[in-house]
Every structure is written in C-alpha cells, then in structure tokens.
Amino acid sequence: MSNPFGTWNSPISGASIASGVSLRDVQWNHAGDTLVWWENRAKTGVLQAQTGAQAPRDLTDATLNVAGRVGYGGGAFTLGDGKAFFVANGRLYSQALAGGAPRAITPEFGSYAAPAVSPDGEWVVFVHSYEHVDGLAIVDAAGEFFPRKLAYGTDFVMQPTWHPGGNHIAFIAWNHPQMPWNGSELRLLSLRAAGAMPDAQDIVTLAGDIDTAIFQPEFSPDGRYLSYVSDASGWGQIVLYDLIEKTHQQLTFDEAEHGKPAWAQGMRTYAWSGDSRAIFYLQNRLGFFSLQRCELDSSASVTAPGVEAYTDMEQISVARAGGAVAMIASSALTPPRVISVDSSGAVAIHRRQGTENLREDQLSAGRAISWLGDDGGLAHGLYYPPAPQDEMPDGPPPLIVNVHGGPTSQRCASYYSEAQFFTTRGYAVLLVNHRGSTGYGKAYMNMHRGNWGVYDVTDSIAGVKHLAKEGLADENKAVIMGGSAGGFTVLQSLVDFPGFYKAGVCSYGVSNQFGLLMDTHKFEERYTFWLLGELPEAAALYRRRSPVFHADKIVDPMIVFQGTDDVVVPQDQAEGIVASLKRRGIPHEYHLFEGEGHGWRKPETIEAYYNSMDRFLMQHVIYA
C-alpha cells in the first residue's frame, strides 16, 4: 500500500536550495550613504556595495575569496572613510568604495580576521593567528610598514574596536579551557607613539572572568561610554562603562538574550546611534528576535517599527547620518535578506539570499514550544507542522527531530531551508533547543557542563513523545538528524535508545571524543573539558560518550555524510561508525564529499545531500 506522504508535490528541491547565496555581514560606511555586505557564493566570499538608490555592485571579484580565517571565521571586513578593509587570500587588503584595484597591506603570513580602522583612517588593528598563537596586531592603512604586535599573551582575542579619540582599543580575551561564552574578559588597551607605528602602553581588564562571558565591546560615538554585553546577571545584558566616572551601569533587564555565543569573529547584536543618545539592540526571546531602541537619558526601551514581520535578525549596523538600521533579517517564511529601516519604519530590501519564488501559504511557520524532559525539567524548541497541501493525509505526520550543532547553540525563528524541505514533503519538524542550548539564560546553558550526551539525547526523545501525545507527530515514524555536535547526538541516541527512531541522519558527527580532543582545531581543542571533564580523570566518561566504541548497539538505518577536508571533525570520525554498520549489515549509506569541510558550500554537494537524504528516508521511513 502506498503512503500518501510520498505523493506530495514539494515546491522545494535540492537543486532549488543549492542555487542561492549565503549572506554573512552588513555594514554602513562612515557617511551613512553606502551599504556594504559580505556574501558567500558557493566557495567564494564577495563584498557588494550599494550607494544611495544605485544598483548594488561587486567590490571584489572572483580572484579574491573574502573570508576571515581565524577559528570559525567571521570578521571579514570593516569600513573606513571611503575605504573597505577586508581579509582575502591570506592577507589584509584595502579598497576604495568608489572602485578601483585592491591593495594588499599585510604579507601572506598566518590568518587574519576582524580588521578595525582607526578614526583618522591611519591604522588598522586586526586579529592574527599563526602557529597556534593568537593576538592583536596593527598595520598602517597604506601598507607601507610590516605589522606590529599589540596584545598577546592570552590564548584568544576577539572583536577589537577603536575609541573615537584614537588612543584606546577595546577587545575581548580569554584562555583555555574556557570558551568565550563560558568566561572571557573585556580589556582596554592604551596606545603610545613608538616609531613608525603605535604600540601598547598598557592593558587593563574592565569586566569579565572565568565564569562571566563578555561580548561585543563598542565605544559610543562621543567617546564617553564603552558598552558591552555581560551574562553576570544570568542573561546576556547590555552594560555601559563610563570612561570618566569609571562605573558600570546595566542597561537592559529583561529575561531575554541580548548577545550570542561568540562562535565567530565580528558578531554584532547592538549598535549606537550616531548622536550617542540611543542604542539599537536585538532581543532574543525563546528564539524570536525583535529590534529595540533604548534611550540613554531615560533607559526606556521601545520596539522599533517596521520590522515586525522578521523574527530572526543579526549583524546590526546603524548609519551615523540619518540613523537607518541595517541588518540581515529573516523569518520562518522569509529567507534571509539584507534590509535597512529608517526612523519612520520604512523598510528597504537591498539583497535577497534566495529567489523567494514560494508563497507563504506553501511553507510552514514555526512556533516556539516547551515540554518536560524525562526528569521533569523544562526543554525548548521550535515546531514546524507539515506545510499546507490540497489533500492533507489523515493521522499524525512523520517527524524530523533536528538537533543543532555546537552543542552550545540555538535554533532561532529563522528561515531553515532544511525544515521547509521536509515540511513540504509531509513531515513535521522539531528543532530541539535541549538543555545546554543558549538563548534561555546561562543556567540553562550550564546544564551541559559534564552532561554532553545526556540532555541533548533525552530532551529530543521527550520532545517526540510530547508531540505524539498532542497528536502533532507519529512517534513510530520519527527520524533524528544533526550535524557536528548534533551528529554526535544522533549517534548517541541510536546507541542509547535503539529502535526508538525509525532512522538517523548524521552529518560530520563526533563519534570518538578522544579523537576530537586530539584532532580538532585550536578554538575547540579543550571544549570537551567543559562538556565532559578533564583527562585522564574523565576517561571512562569519554569512552561512554564515544559512540564509535558502542557502534554495535546501533540497529536503525542510517545515512552518513562527511567532507574530506573537515578539520573540526575529521573523516575517520565517520568511517569508524560506517565500518560497524557495514560489517553487521545494518541498512546505511555513506556519502563522502570531496573538497568539503565542516558543512556544505558547493551547490552540487547541497543538491546531492538533499536528494540522497530524501530517497533514503522515503525507503526506510515512509514506505518501511
């Protein structure tokens, strides 16, 4: 007997998903008349610019791959007075916004990220990494001199920013084994003249410690305040440091998040108005974002008009002249766009990530849900019902349980092409923000400490049972899928609860915790100390939470995806699992993508990923 779910005519195919671009960052220039954004086209990062009502134009061409290369990247560019400074091809470049040829201002030496140009346009400070050593360095904007070290001595630095007077630089620093969202410090560097280039006179720590995370330092345009986000209160709140009075004042108080876990350089969740009288900030409640404006005189916040239709926003930038707010915005029904909104609430769309050729009534709108875990604790997530169809099948739908990576991350109310791919095929989708995720306060995130492989596994199963009880999903046709840390949750779930899920979809998943600790990149090389414990004391726990040692317990069909160039979760992490499945005759497929790393970037890879996954689940779930 045929299953009606298999006959649905989905408007979303693997080819259509693979055809778009990826929007990464957007910034106004100093004059506020030119907007520049960074987008990824297949495997090439490109800067585009738009001045006034002119058509957007490419600032960089295919010979330059614009991308920050420290850790997970980010912080690819910044704008000065008439110039863009960006990282490409292993060097730092400058280029006039009006056009012309780019000029390399640093040698091809190590990795660069997060350039920040001084107020007078003379100097560029940046994050540099070479041979496992990270720090802040400085170079003249013309590239006449060799770069000079400014701030070294910690394992990591991030988010440098200049004081308007040009004599101070604020930045974030932290050391192993902390991650930046566990504990980091706000530091203030004072500059002095020292020959051809400035040098560091002294560096003081203003906020943060090993248990308090600091995010995104920014100076007010008038130079009076240094703002930052701190989670000392239990939530990421915006704080002002008065540079004259030497006092700290918390500005936001809602039980919501106003920062993000700093997985990459150059992340921004708030921005100053040009007159220093207000801060525009993005507030995250249960995965849904809103744009707020806080007046410093009264400390009162109001929701800014015009962007109510968007539920996920990032990389905010405010024009100093005119006050237009630019950002990358999306919703469950709207793919990411580069937009700007003026003070009256009028919105301009500058760039669309995809073709947007689907009507909203062809897609599924996600909603926030909560449920009780098996121990009575509260877990959160987003639920997407099957997209509306002319003929809706009877009974609850099959379910895709999608677990985010990180594992310190969050699925927000953004446009997820993966979710829409499945909902338009008759599946329901649950995006699990298990205990240990961010976005719900620091206590919720800290539940992951020592518990990786516990709450992510059990909260996912409890979510399936909750939806089944509500008649929103078929518990007997549930699929668990995830990538990276989410892939680990897939494997651990199939090991600990064989037979509960109908199938598993694992992309570059962690299978060997010992191997991850030894083989991964610097940024995460001690992350498992927090998630599982330090070695050798926690060796037994590492083994229990390494699915490769228990792969013979996996009996459910699996499809496994891996990139050959993945330096975060190397290829052998997948192949140990696949070897066990093959040896025991467990139904499975293994897809190894040449030239791909920790995630898919090539259009042909993305198309193959979706099409093979669709066929596999049709065989082993829908028609099984």
Side-chain angles (χ1 to χ4, degrees):
M1 179 182 293
S2 65
N3 188 301
F5 287 105
T7 65
W8 286 27
N9 183 22
S10 172
I12 299 180
S13 66
S16 66
I17 293 173
S19 62
V21 299
S22 176
L23 302 173
R24 304 292 181 86
D25 196 2
V26 57
Q27 297 178 36
W28 287 107
N29 69 336
H30 283 188
D33 60 356
T34 299
L35 195 63
V36 178
W37 58 89
W38 171 38
E39 62 184 51
N40 187 71
R41 302 172 187 170
K43 295 193 72 173
T44 302
V46 178
L47 291 183
Q48 276 207 319
Q50 184 176 26
T51 300
Q54 297 177 5
R57 64 191 187 278
D58 284 1
L59 275 181
T60 58
D61 58 31
T63 63
L64 293 174
N65 181 18
V66 179
R69 292 299 185 188
V70 177
Y72 275 111
F77 78 101
T78 193
L79 302 179
D81 187 11
K83 289 184 179 180
F85 296 87
F86 59 90
V87 181
N89 299 17
R91 305 179 77 174
L92 192 59
Y93 288 82
S94 71
Q95 184 167 332
L97 292 178
R103 174 188 175 92
I105 62 172
T106 62
E108 188 175 347
F109 177 73
S111 300
Y112 298 84
V117 61
S118 62
D120 61 8
E122 293 293 320
W123 314 104
V124 180
V125 65
F126 54 91
V127 175
H128 187 257
S129 180
Y130 180 68
E131 292 187 341
H132 235 56
V133 177
D134 291 21
L136 286 184
I138 192 170
V139 69
D140 63 295
E144 298 292 337
F145 301 101
F146 198 81
R148 166 177 280 176
K149 289 184 175 182
L150 272 185
Y152 280 72
T154 57
D155 290 320
F156 302 97
V157 293
M158 182 175 277
Q159 300 174 316
T161 185
W162 287 85
H163 185 275
N167 54 348
H168 298 288
I169 295 170
F171 64 99
I172 304 298
W174 74 98
N175 289 301
H176 283 312
Q178 277 74 37
M179 301 299 285
W181 50 82
N182 298 136
S184 49
E185 297 180 353
L186 171 63
R187 296 192 171 184
L188 185 65
L189 180 153
S190 298
L191 292 168
R192 65 182 175 190
M197 277 188 288
D199 196 4
Q201 178 173 321
D202 60 45
I203 301 174
V204 296
T205 298
L206 299 179
D209 51 44
I210 61 173
D211 296 313
T212 304
I214 306 297
F215 176 82
Q216 194 194 340
E218 298 283 354
F219 289 101
S220 59
D222 64 7
R224 174 68 183 268
Y225 298 105
L226 172 58
S227 55
Y228 60 95
V229 178
S230 169
D231 67 1
S233 70
W235 295 85
Q237 305 289 5
I238 300 175
V239 180
L240 298 183
Y241 176 70
D242 189 319
L243 291 159
I244 297 176
E245 301 295 333
K246 312 297 184 186
T247 57
H248 301 261
Q249 175 190 351
Q250 187 171 317
L251 195 64
T252 58
F253 293 89
D254 292 329
E255 289 193 352
E257 294 294 351
H258 303 92
K260 285 187 173 183
W263 279 100
Q265 298 277 345
M267 298 171 65
R268 302 186 307 279
T269 58
Y270 73 91
W272 283 89
S273 64
D275 59 9
S276 299
R277 296 172 63 181
I279 287 180
F280 291 87
Y281 63 91
L282 304 178
Q283 185 176 83
N284 173 7
R285 289 180 182 268
L286 298 176
F288 285 74
F289 283 74
S290 63
L291 174 62
Q292 305 288 321
R293 177 187 171 105
C294 179
E295 300 290 341
L296 263 63
D297 289 345
S298 63
S299 296
S301 291
V302 296
T303 301
V307 294
E308 295 85 356
Y310 297 101
T311 52
D312 189 39
M313 309 172 196
E314 58 184 346
Q315 296 306 98
I316 184 173
S317 179
V318 176
R320 292 190 180 181
V325 181
M327 67 184 83
I328 299 172
S330 67
S331 74
L333 304 177
T334 306
R337 300 167 170 174
V338 173
I339 68 167
S340 63
V341 55
D342 64 20
S343 58
S344 70
V347 175
I349 301 173
H350 303 269
R351 181 71 159 116
R352 301 173 193 263
Q353 179 167 294
T355 56
E356 297 189 19
N357 56 358
L358 299 177
R359 303 187 312 271
E360 288 190 358
D361 61 5
Q362 293 178 283
L363 301 171
S364 176
R367 60 182 175 89
I369 66 169
S370 301
W371 63 91
L372 296 180
D374 59 359
D375 61 353
L378 193 65
H380 302 283
L382 299 174
Y383 172 75
Y384 291 73
Q389 297 285 331
D390 292 336
E391 296 182 7
M392 300 290 287
D394 295 330
L399 177 68
I400 302 294
V401 180
N402 195 310
V403 185
H404 62 67
T408 307
S409 187
Q410 181 190 18
R411 294 298 183 120
C412 298
S414 181
Y415 183 85
Y416 288 106
S417 55
E418 200 165 65
Q420 300 297 346
F421 180 85
F422 286 112
T423 60
T424 56
R425 283 162 171 76
Y427 296 88
V429 173
L430 174 63
L431 303 182
V432 182
N433 286 326
H434 51 75
R435 283 172 284 180
S437 303
T438 49
Y440 306 91
K442 190 158 188 175
Y444 192 84
M445 182 195 75
N446 281 342
M447 294 193 74
H448 238 336
R449 188 168 193 168
N451 291 316
W452 193 18
V454 178
Y455 293 121
D456 47 322
V457 171
T458 60
D459 285 352
S460 297
I461 287 177
V464 174
K465 293 179 178 179
H466 169 77
L467 293 176
K469 184 178 179 180
E470 297 292 319
L472 298 175
D474 185 347
E475 183 176 338
N476 297 315
K477 288 188 178 295
V479 177
I480 186 167
M481 71 178 297
S484 192
F488 161 74
T489 303
V490 170
L491 297 173
Q492 194 67 36
S493 298
L494 299 183
V495 166
D496 289 346
F497 296 92
F500 181 84
Y501 292 103
K502 198 70 174 178
V505 180
C506 180
S507 299
Y508 38 89
V510 176
S511 68
N512 186 334
Q513 300 289 1
F514 297 102
L516 180 70
L517 191 64
M518 293 183 289
D519 297 334
T520 195
H521 58 160
K522 178 187 176 183
F523 183 71
E524 292 185 82
E525 67 183 13
R526 300 190 196 177
Y527 189 17
T528 51
F529 285 6
W530 189 83
L531 292 167
L532 295 176
E534 295 196 26
L535 293 175
E537 294 81 5
L541 182 59
Y542 274 64
R543 188 173 185 86
R544 285 200 301 274
R545 306 276 173 80
S546 293
V548 71
F549 297 121
H550 315 284
D552 58 346
K553 295 182 180 179
I554 298 176
V555 298
D556 304 299
M558 279 195 68
I559 184 167
V560 179
F561 299 95
Q562 180 68 41
T564 60
D565 297 349
D566 195 336
V567 298
V568 180
V569 180
Q571 183 177 330
D572 61 356
Q573 293 267 348
E575 293 184 342
I577 296 293
V578 172
S580 173
L581 300 173
K582 183 176 182 180
R583 184 177 65 252
R584 295 180 295 113
I586 303 299
H588 72 281
E589 289 183 15
Y590 178 41
H591 296 266
L592 183 64
F593 296 131
E594 290 289 337
E596 292 285 15
H598 202 61
W600 321 136
R601 300 177 69 182
K602 300 178 184 178
E604 59 269 26
T605 300
I606 297 170
E607 182 175 0
Y609 166 74
Y610 280 102
N611 291 341
S612 58
M613 184 166 49
D614 189 24
R615 291 192 302 268
F616 184 84
L617 296 183
M618 193 72 69
Q619 176 183 354
H620 294 286
V621 177
I622 301 303
Y623 292 118

